[in-house]
Amino acid sequence: MVFARVRRFFKPSPPRQQEPELPANLAEIYRQARNGHVLEQVLWGKVLLDSQYVPRDVDKAREWFTIAASANYGPAHNMLGRCSQFGWGCPLDLAEAVSHYRKAAQLDDLWGIYNLGICHMRGMGVETDRRTAFLLFRRAALRGHAKSMNLLARFIEEGWETPANPIAALEWYQRSADGGDYRGQHNYATALLGMGQPNEALRYWRMAVKDATPDILQAMQRELEQPDAPQDPELMETLQHRLRAVLPKTD
């Protein structure tokens, strides 16, 4: 197996750009990327997508992902899938996104497996196929991918493509939560509250509130505003602050 940091020489040339002034850790990533290390090429592409140290440049980011993908590096194909899914540096093309996610999954990249599962579950760029989605989420979950664990738990809880099993679903929600997925943390907290464990539920909601997206923040708010919900003024203050920051302002 070729390790990610093995130096390779490819036909594609690194995109030309002015040498940026960077913190030491980012400067090292950039240096390694220029020297042909596929891991750092993907990392530098991600920096170009979202960093306070360099201007956002989706075109150059996609060039770096393409260079690493030419070495059959799974995470690079996953990021090219993201580019095609969201139109970063290329036209939005869900079928092309699925093609890259499938290649990433073939190369055993866990994020590629997960994203391909999402596409099959939602019918994005491919026909809806819950069976395939279930198998992909299970494959990644068994390898320790926290977000896949949360969706595997949902399939097991609802009895989608597998017999419903609340106990097994709860175990997977806990593994997802402990693995750091905010959706898993919210789902596990909700289950804990229903099981009469409010203090444990609050502990997991405190974890989730830091990174949760607006939909999960609003779901947390609904749970915590129930008359019988446990009280945690500090958590509610943090939740309200995050909601004000991420939701559109209305007059």
Side-chain angles (χ1 to χ4, degrees):
M1 179 178 179
V2 179
F3 290 95
R5 291 180 61 88
V6 172
R7 184 171 176 173
R8 300 286 300 274
F9 295 93
F10 316 118
K11 290 182 180 179
S13 299
R16 294 183 177 275
Q17 62 187 93
Q18 184 178 356
E19 294 288 331
E21 293 185 8
L22 298 167
N25 62 325
L26 294 186
E28 179 61 14
I29 289 173
Y30 181 65
R31 186 184 72 81
Q32 296 280 10
R34 294 283 300 178
N35 285 339
H37 293 282
V38 289
L39 170 61
E40 283 77 9
Q41 288 169 347
V42 171
L43 291 177
W44 183 248
K46 290 181 178 181
V47 169
L48 291 169
L49 288 177
D50 184 21
S51 173
Q52 61 180 313
Y53 297 104
V54 295
R56 178 176 169 85
D57 192 328
V58 294
D59 294 318
K60 285 191 174 65
R62 191 171 184 278
E63 289 181 51
W64 283 107
F65 300 144
T66 300
I67 293 169
S70 70
N72 281 329
Y73 186 50
H77 279 286
N78 176 65
M79 289 309 301
L80 285 175
R82 300 286 285 173
C83 289
S84 292
Q85 180 177 345
F86 296 104
W88 298 336
C90 62
L92 192 153
D93 187 335
L94 293 180
E96 183 72 8
V98 169
S99 178
H100 282 295
Y101 291 146
R102 185 173 289 117
K103 181 64 174 177
Q106 290 169 350
L107 293 167
D108 215 25
D109 176 63
L110 295 181
W111 279 105
I113 296 168
Y114 167 80
N115 285 323
L116 184 60
I118 292 290
C119 291
H120 280 286
M121 183 176 73
R122 297 178 179 172
M124 296 166 45
V126 67
E127 288 189 9
T128 301
D129 184 347
R130 278 188 174 176
R131 179 62 181 171
T132 296
F134 168 72
L135 293 174
L136 287 164
F137 294 140
R138 185 176 67 178
R139 175 183 165 192
L142 290 170
R143 294 274 306 282
H145 191 258
K147 285 190 175 295
S148 295
M149 291 176 187
N150 174 64
L151 283 170
L152 177 62
R154 180 71 187 280
F155 272 69
I156 295 172
E157 179 183 17
E158 301 291 346
W160 296 338
E161 307 300 330
T162 187
N165 187 333
I167 295 175
L170 186 66
E171 291 175 353
W172 279 110
Y173 280 134
Q174 182 177 10
R175 291 179 66 177
S176 173
D178 290 339
D181 178 48
Y182 60 82
R183 292 182 185 274
Q185 289 162 349
H186 167 69
N187 289 331
Y188 187 52
T190 302
L192 287 169
L193 187 61
M195 294 164 58
Q197 300 181 45
N199 291 333
E200 273 294 279
L202 287 173
R203 184 167 75 87
Y204 280 95
W205 272 320
R206 292 187 199 108
M207 297 179 194
V209 74
K210 295 178 289 185
D211 299 312
T213 48
D215 60 320
I216 296 299
L217 292 171
Q218 290 174 313
M220 289 174 57
Q221 183 180 42
R222 289 192 294 270
E223 292 290 340
L224 290 167
E225 288 180 346
Q226 295 295 319
D228 57 346
Q231 300 299 305
D232 186 330
E234 184 176 348
L235 173 59
M236 286 299 294
E237 182 179 351
T238 302
L239 175 59
Q240 294 302 324
H241 174 76
R242 289 231 50 227
L243 282 168
R244 287 194 296 270
V246 298
L247 291 180
K249 294 181 174 58
T250 57
D251 295 331

